[in-house]
Amino acid sequence: MKALVIVFLLTHLLLTGNGAFAQDRNFHIYLCFGQSNMEGNAKIEPQDTVNINPRFQVMEAVDCPSLNRKMGQWYTAVPPLCRCRTGLTPADYFGRELVANLPEKVRIGVINVSVGGCKIELFDKDNYQSYTANVPGWMKNFISEYGGNPYARLVEMAKLAQKDGVIKGILLHQGESNTGDTLWTKKVKVVYDNLMHDLELKPKKVPLLAGETVNADQEGRCASMNTIIATLPQTIKNAHVISSAGCTDSADNLHFNAAGYRELGKRYATQMLSLLGYKPVAVN
């Protein structure tokens, strides 16, 4: 009888211990959301699929049978990092740069839930339905891949990820479809505040990194939006704007090209490394 009690206690400790210590504090997770420039518009080139450190991982936010990936599971972060057929995104080189500069014990995970062409209103959990009711059919198809509610999918995946690691920051690239909207910063704050609440995060510990649209130096069609994006830190104290100056773009002057995404992603990483107390020394 005594032996049975001991076995029971040991089993209980093992089971509860696995639950208690499953979270790895050195697994840094970043949530990424926005429209097409975060979704990934540029064609993925051969250099983008090689030499990816397995310390850099992506949690798939949709089922991708063609990639042998299942929603809610982690994989080495070989692009695409958004949905099954999207392109290169700033998240690619954000993660690559982080693992190149952080201690070997640190792993990086990204979750990317983005929808090309969308306004920030799509991620407002209380009002998204009134917005999605009038979007074009092609966008509804993208949204449907997230169960009709991208914000809810982002939170669902984030909660799964929190069992494995710690959310360290949020990456946003959105604004083209809200160009000229002076209420944009307040709308972003609604989304940010909801994420903080729904994921039980502390704003002081979870910065929001927001990238500029294609810059005026590249004749960006929505470059005027950068004036509004620049004011985001006035609304969200822990927000940081990532400059797109010099980041090359595609012929439409709306989307970055592959080289532009690589550079922009590294700039997101440089900002995050600075916030973490590191100075970038490696170039990937």
Side-chain angles (χ1 to χ4, degrees):
M1 182 66 182
K2 187 175 181 180
L4 287 174
V5 171
I6 292 174
V7 170
F8 172 81
L9 289 173
L10 287 173
T11 303
H12 177 73
L13 286 170
L14 285 171
L15 290 174
T16 56
N18 284 340
F21 298 103
Q23 187 186 59
D24 181 356
R25 306 298 295 183
N26 287 315
F27 188 16
H28 295 182
I29 295 162
Y30 294 88
L31 309 183
C32 309
F33 74 101
Q35 58 182 108
S36 55
N37 273 318
M38 183 57 81
E39 180 184 70
N41 185 265
K43 183 179 180 180
I44 299 164
E45 298 178 356
Q47 65 178 295
D48 305 316
T49 63
V50 297
N51 301 321
I52 298 172
N53 194 313
R55 288 167 48 218
F56 177 29
Q57 299 189 316
V58 59
M59 176 180 278
E60 196 61 62
V62 298
D63 285 321
C64 286
S66 62
L67 301 176
N68 293 315
R69 294 179 182 177
K70 294 183 178 180
M71 182 178 69
Q73 295 187 11
W74 292 107
Y75 301 91
T76 299
V78 177
L81 300 189
C82 191
R83 297 190 309 283
C84 315
R85 295 172 296 279
T86 52
L88 198 67
T89 162
D92 283 275
Y93 282 80
F94 168 77
R96 289 170 74 126
E97 192 77 358
L98 283 186
V99 297
N101 283 278
L102 290 173
E104 286 287 331
K105 65 181 180 180
V106 176
R107 293 181 296 141
I108 300 297
V110 296
I111 303 171
N112 191 339
V113 174
S114 300
V115 175
C118 76
K119 289 187 174 183
I120 193 64
E121 284 85 343
L122 177 60
F123 294 94
D124 183 338
K125 71 174 185 178
D126 296 317
N127 299 297
Y128 78 96
Q129 289 178 313
S130 61
Y131 170 70
T132 58
N134 300 306
V135 301
W138 57 265
M139 192 186 299
K140 288 183 178 178
N141 290 336
F142 293 162
I143 294 170
S144 69
E145 293 191 51
Y146 297 119
N149 187 344
Y151 176 85
R153 179 62 57 84
L154 181 60
V155 170
E156 178 188 3
M157 296 299 99
K159 286 183 176 179
L160 281 178
Q162 284 180 307
K163 296 178 181 179
D164 301 321
V166 181
I167 295 174
K168 301 290 283 189
I170 300 172
L171 277 61
L172 169 67
H173 201 288
Q174 194 282 328
E176 293 88 351
S177 293
N178 288 84
T179 297
D181 182 356
T182 56
L183 297 178
W184 180 82
T185 58
K186 292 182 179 179
K187 293 174 181 179
V188 172
K189 189 176 188 302
V190 168
V191 181
Y192 178 77
D193 288 348
N194 284 338
L195 287 171
M196 295 299 103
H197 177 269
D198 294 342
L199 298 173
E200 298 182 1
L201 300 171
K202 296 180 179 179
K204 290 183 179 181
K205 293 186 176 181
V206 183
L208 174 67
L209 311 185
E212 292 182 336
T213 64
V214 173
N215 206 273
D217 63 19
Q218 303 294 314
E219 300 182 0
R221 288 170 58 185
C222 298
S224 62
M225 185 61 186
N226 290 337
T227 302
I228 294 174
I229 294 173
T231 66
L232 189 59
Q234 298 173 21
T235 303
I236 301 174
K237 292 182 180 180
N238 203 6
H240 305 267
V241 176
I242 311 304
S243 171
S244 67
C247 293
T248 52
D249 70 334
S250 62
D252 64 10
N253 294 132
L254 283 173
H255 300 100
F256 299 96
N257 59 20
Y261 282 123
R262 293 183 196 114
E263 177 59 28
L264 189 62
K266 291 177 181 179
R267 292 181 185 182
Y268 274 94
T270 296
Q271 177 64 70
M272 193 64 218
L273 286 165
S274 175
L275 294 172
L276 292 172
Y278 292 89
K279 183 177 180 181
V281 293
V283 178
N284 191 4

